[in-house]
Amino acid sequence: MNDAAPAPAPEPTAAPAPAPRRRARVRAPELVGAGGWLNTGGKELTLADLRGRIVILDFWTFCCVNCLHVLDELRELEERHRDTVVIVGVHSPKFAHEAEHAAVVDAVERYGVEHPVLDDPELATWKQYAVRAWPTLVVIDPEGYVVAQHAGEGHAHALARLVAELEAEHGAKGTLRRGDGPYVAPEPVATELRFPGKALLLPSGGFLVSDTTRHRLVELAADGETVVRRIGSGVRGLVDGPAEVAAFSEPQGLAALPDGSVVVADTVNHAVRRVDPATGAVSTLAGTGRQWWQGSPTRGPAREVDLSSPWDVAYFDDRVWIAMAGVHQLWTYDPATGTVAVAAGTTNEGLVDGPAAEAWFAQPSGLAAGADRLWVADAETSALRWITADGAVGTAVGTGLFDFGHRDGPAAEALLQHPLGVTVLPDGSVAVSDTYNHALRRYDPASGEVTTLATDLREPSDAVVVDGDVVVVESARHRLTRLRLPEEAVRVASVAHRTRREPTEVAPGAFRLDVVFRAPAGQKLDTRYGPSTRLLVSSTPPELLRAGAGAGTELSRALEWDPAVSEGVLHVSAMAASCDDDPANAYPACHVHQQDWGVPVRLVAGGAGRLPLVLAGLDEETAAG
């Protein structure tokens, strides 16, 4: 008999930690920009200075409302991971004005950018990172390798997940360096207004002005300078209540209703607010405070429908019209029923006239009601547009996304540069606040001519008529400026520009378009209700594409160029929905990723046969090459 004690059972061992997810890595190019650095206290930064930190490059330009959305998406991530993450804005201009260093300095303050910004007027870093769209986010790990790229909006959740992974991975390796970042706040400047957006003439003869950067409204006396009162606490937020308690977030447009109340486009709150002029009390008329995404309702009770960056408002045809800059549409609010609805635009960005449901806009930012039509300052197409009460959309001045400048003459040949405001003058002509040309322009519908009324205005964003004069909101001079309407227009030497982006050279004939999307870690494509991806392709001119235009669910598309059309613009709109990959959760959180690209192309022998556009992830074919 064996009376030896039985061998003890082996001690339980902990399950091995999951290995870090294997990622493609590409060494990050250096950060170079002729304009130098902002928000660093004068220090020039290099990637070596940032080694050991997780770096998120935000390629943006200040004209782009989608870029402004991303700035807001990044705020929480920036605050939560301030000791491990450094966000670097790389300012990459589209318009000529955006290449001016002083304008970039203004924009950084105007939009509350609290991280270092590299001013790259020549697009040097943009080209090194092969960026093709505003906005684009690039993630660099603590060892200096690019590990992810995202274009467009809706990536905050994916970035937060990736940052947590990189913190754990590099914390374990000893390659993560914690501490204060390189951001140095600029010195504050004392002015009564700070980057005002829009103005409204009050029955008293004074003005109500949206004091945009300080998140409030300011009532000024008839002299346009003396402060009568302020409405809003001055702290960013969405709060209804008395004037001193209420909160806005970068308010812009203002309009008076027949009952004497004032409607406010509360842009970053994605809301339309109401102000009682007698008490200054603020309430919310429309919007939930959440940003509208594809698939969200486009009509219904106003307080239950999401909006997207309303930039201006106007009362026309018994409704409040809303310039919904964030989705390139016009919406309406009906005071009688308390409902909102899309009035015009498809959400595609561009310049297409016709019936309202088929028209394309590009960041409409200014509205003014005329006798028989509503005038629209369509900023990204540098155009003056209009819509009638029965829904016909037309263009008075402007040709498209990539042509702009300062040229007077017949409307068909005239050029504007990113106008933000429009004002109907007493004679029925239209004044355009031609923002990036620092000018006030005039379009005469009777003659079809465009002239210049005034120059040397600093980023004019709106104007109101007062006793035959015009009071201009000089946003970048932080003031209202009163001008006498001249009998003769100013003579300005004509200047024409095209966007600073160089066309992509493509081979005539068969071509492949690939939108790259990799579901973020811990997520999968949401196919519960059908396809989770959408791709819409078109071109300007339409004849540029012989085959491949239209909508579909696959993110790759075979195209065919028409060799008879030498150049144009390829329009691509992509959307992908992903959900948390947790089988135990019956209601996983889902996230929409979307981006529109306008890609200038030129057909040349020997050009590229494939165009990769990264929505999320890395293009493995390019990386392998």
Side-chain angles (χ1 to χ4, degrees), residues 281-300:
V282 178
S283 56
T284 300
L285 292 179
T288 63
R290 297 184 300 269
Q291 184 182 342
W292 186 95
W293 291 98
Q294 290 288 349
S296 300
T298 56
R299 62 174 55 245

Side-chain angles (χ1 to χ4, degrees), residues 299-546:
R299 62 174 55 245
R303 292 294 304 272
E304 300 174 15
V305 178
D306 298 340
L307 308 181
S308 183
S309 295
W311 209 276
D312 202 6
V313 283
Y315 191 74
F316 174 70
D317 191 36
D318 298 324
R319 292 171 291 171
V320 175
W321 289 68
I322 307 167
M324 205 69 77
V327 286
H328 317 299
Q329 291 180 311
L330 303 180
W331 288 43
T332 58
Y333 166 77
D334 186 342
T337 62
T339 58
V340 291
V342 173
T346 65
T347 75
N348 296 111
E349 184 178 16
L351 194 157
V352 176
D353 293 334
E358 301 171 12
W360 290 21
F361 293 90
Q363 214 169 298
S365 300
L367 301 174
D372 62 348
R373 64 191 58 192
L374 182 73
W375 295 97
V376 183
D378 204 28
E380 281 294 286
T381 53
S382 297
L384 174 63
R385 315 279 299 278
W386 49 262
I387 182 170
T388 60
D390 60 1
V393 174
T395 298
V397 183
T399 59
L401 285 166
F402 298 100
D403 292 290
F404 55 93
H406 193 147
R407 180 190 290 155
D408 291 332
E413 302 172 8
L415 293 173
L416 309 170
Q417 186 178 179
H418 198 79
L420 292 179
V422 60
T423 307
V424 176
L425 298 178
D427 64 357
S429 65
V430 180
V432 179
S433 295
D434 194 5
T435 309
Y436 288 3
N437 279 329
H438 309 300
L440 189 68
R441 313 286 293 284
R442 177 179 178 266
Y443 166 68
D444 183 356
S447 66
E449 291 286 315
V450 175
T451 54
T452 297
L453 297 175
T455 58
D456 193 31
L457 301 167
R458 188 67 184 171
E459 292 192 15
S461 55
D462 195 21
V464 295
V465 176
V466 183
D467 298 329
D469 294 342
V470 62
V471 174
V472 180
V473 180
E474 280 199 272
S475 187
R477 283 199 176 113
H478 321 292
R479 70 187 189 192
L480 304 188
T481 299
R482 188 164 184 143
L483 305 172
R484 184 166 298 280
L485 286 173
E487 295 182 7
E488 294 186 7
V490 179
R491 294 187 178 274
V492 175
S494 294
V495 178
H497 301 286
R498 281 187 65 81
T499 179
R500 300 181 66 82
R501 293 174 58 193
E502 297 174 2
T504 297
E505 295 188 344
V506 298
F511 189 81
R512 189 166 124 232
L513 169 68
D514 290 328
V515 173
V516 177
F517 179 78
R518 305 279 182 265
Q523 296 179 40
K524 63 180 180 180
L525 288 175
D526 178 17
T527 57
R528 293 172 297 164
Y529 308 108
S532 61
T533 56
R534 185 194 70 167
L535 181 65
L536 178 65
V537 178
S538 62
S539 65
T540 303
E543 298 77 25
L544 177 65
L545 278 178
R546 182 178 282 173

Side-chain angles (χ1 to χ4, degrees), residues 540-591:
T540 303
E543 298 77 25
L544 177 65
L545 278 178
R546 182 178 282 173
T553 58
E554 297 294 325
L555 292 182
S556 291
R557 182 83 57 88
L559 308 180
E560 184 180 355
W561 306 112
D562 187 340
V565 183
S566 60
E567 62 181 306
V569 179
L570 178 67
H571 302 282
V572 179
S573 178
M575 185 273 290
S578 61
C579 294
D580 292 347
D581 188 6
D582 182 2
N585 185 356
Y587 304 101
C590 296
H591 312 275

